[in-house]
Amino acid sequence: MFDTISNKLQNAFKNLRGLGKISESNVSDSLREVRLALLEADVNFKVARDFIERVKTKSLGQEVIESVHPGQQIIKIIHDELVELLGSTNAGLNLSGNPASIMMVGLHGSGKTTSSAKLAKLLTKQGRQPVLVAADVYRPAAMDQLETLGKQLGIPVFLKKGETDVLAIAREAFDFARANNRNTLIFDTAGRLQIDEPLVQELVRLRDLVKPQEILLVLDAATGQEAVNVATHFDQALNITGSILTKLDGDARGGAALSMKAVTGKPIKLAGTGEKLEDFEPFHPERMASRILG
Ligand code: GDP
């Protein structure tokens, strides 16, 4: 995870550690390397520029200039700014509804169905009683996949094969949840290869009916800036409450994780770190920053 950016930052830090005295020009030189590392990691251009500006301003402050190990102080500033960039603290889920509902949205292949099951498992561990709702009426294979995952986990899956009206499925899913004492509905909605108007309209109708506490956008971390663009579009259409970044295990660059909050204003709430159902965790900015810094 994050190997490329970690290596690049480590190189930049070697130079920083060696700095005896701080001047505007040697700080600028060292930060240029950090900026390049961010850009190579596919961090949004403006996000990288603003990041470097903030670090530079703080690095040229009296406290750093007068300290015995100024380079070390600058590395600390970079660490703290990375944590900020990643969202500062873990943004928890709002599950205040009775039953609570979560809409999982995202493009086909992003890991939406897998993440729905992973989330159901995580919530079960936290003492909740989830039900998975198969709300992708276009791909019978997606319903089958969810059914299989539910069986594997021993978590009920509400599905109506052959039903084409997603709103009808949603209404019945609430009845099912109430009748079976399930306090959290997780809707695995339809995905497409790209965002299109019919998909958006269907998701908006479903959102307006379900009134979910959480609308979580599932994004493939390996797609970098493209993931951020997708997030911007989904957020404009649906006003998402946060995102789930999947496939972080295969993400050497980290650009999506580092740009998401700054560009969309919405936190990354959960992270997928492998194909297994337990490879899933709340997204902790502090831990992620430590992984990035190696
Ligand atoms: P959907 O079309 O968005 O529902 O995507 P799926 O849930 O079917 O996932 C697509 C592929 O990505 C599957 O092969 C999953 O096993 C894989 N996948 C999902 N999340 C992760 C993850 O965090 N790490 C890895 N390595 N693979 C993942």
Side-chain angles (χ1 to χ4, degrees):
M1 198 187 287
F2 306 141
D3 290 350
T4 313
I5 184 167
S6 292
N7 292 340
K8 295 259 167 337
L9 286 177
Q10 284 310 327
N11 278 339
F13 288 177
K14 255 187 229 146
N15 289 345
L16 274 170
R17 278 198 197 93
L19 289 184
K21 226 170 158 35
I22 295 284
S23 71
E24 172 137 19
S25 80
N26 65 18
V27 166
S28 290
D29 285 347
S30 301
L31 291 185
R32 192 167 300 129
E33 273 186 79
V34 175
R35 183 166 166 275
L36 281 176
L38 293 175
L39 292 178
E40 278 182 40
D42 203 20
V43 171
N44 172 285
F45 177 79
K46 192 172 167 299
V47 172
R49 191 189 60 198
D50 294 351
F51 179 90
I52 295 298
E53 271 314 305
R54 283 196 303 278
V55 173
K56 192 170 166 188
T57 307
K58 290 188 179 165
S59 300
L60 294 172
Q62 270 319 315
E63 221 178 287
V64 177
I65 291 176
E66 287 168 6
S67 76
V68 187
H69 300 292
Q72 212 54 47
Q73 298 268 351
I74 296 177
I75 292 169
K76 168 86 170 60
I77 292 169
I78 293 172
H79 170 272
D80 292 349
E81 287 294 329
L82 273 180
V83 175
E84 273 306 302
L85 203 55
L86 290 162
S88 96
T89 54
N90 170 248
L93 297 176
N94 166 15
L95 298 173
S96 57
N98 188 24
S101 47
I102 302 170
M103 237 174 104
M104 305 285 280
V105 300
L107 295 182
H108 183 56
S110 59
K112 184 161 35 59
T113 302
T114 313
S115 299
S116 299
K118 286 175 167 182
L119 179 57
K121 180 177 160 74
L122 185 73
L123 292 179
T124 303
K125 243 172 75 185
Q126 294 172 355
R128 298 194 70 90
Q129 288 81 40
V131 51
L132 288 157
V133 183
D136 180 351
V137 296
Y138 306 103
R139 284 197 321 130
M143 290 199 173
D144 294 343
Q145 188 189 351
L146 198 65
E147 193 175 23
T148 306
L149 291 169
K151 274 201 189 120
Q152 223 169 301
L153 293 169
I155 291 172
V157 176
F158 181 79
L159 80 170
K160 285 194 82 180
K161 285 189 183 156
E163 175 62 79
T164 54
D165 179 1
V166 73
L167 299 186
I169 292 177
R171 281 188 209 99
E172 287 190 39
F174 274 96
D175 295 339
F176 177 91
R178 289 197 184 95
N180 291 278
N181 292 322
R182 310 307 293 184
N183 61 13
T184 316
L185 293 96
I186 302 173
F187 289 86
D188 181 25
T189 68
R192 301 270 158 85
L193 287 175
Q194 56 195 38
I195 309 169
D196 57 34
E197 208 34 46
L199 171 70
V200 165
Q201 280 174 11
E202 179 180 294
L203 293 174
V204 167
R205 280 199 299 275
L206 185 62
R207 176 197 66 185
D208 292 348
L209 175 80
V210 168
K211 299 191 175 54
Q213 281 72 43
E214 291 284 350
I215 304 175
L216 299 176
L217 174 61
V218 181
L219 294 160
D220 178 345
T223 61
Q225 276 317 293
E226 189 44 37
V228 182
N229 293 336
V230 168
T232 307
H233 281 116
F234 267 97
D235 191 34
Q236 277 165 359
L238 286 169
N239 192 16
I240 62 171
T241 57
S243 60
I244 297 178
L245 215 48
T246 65
K247 309 185 196 184
L248 275 174
D249 47 309
D251 180 24
R253 303 202 293 171
L258 286 165
S259 313
M260 197 62 69
K261 178 78 195 295
V263 175
T264 65
K266 300 294 168 72
I268 301 167
K269 294 197 168 182
L270 296 147
T273 55
E275 288 192 66
K276 292 205 275 317
L277 292 174
E278 56 269 28
D279 297 334
F280 195 66
E281 58 192 43
F283 184 85
H284 286 288
E286 174 77 40
R287 269 183 236 163
M288 285 293 153
S290 300
R291 283 183 194 171
I292 288 172
L293 293 179

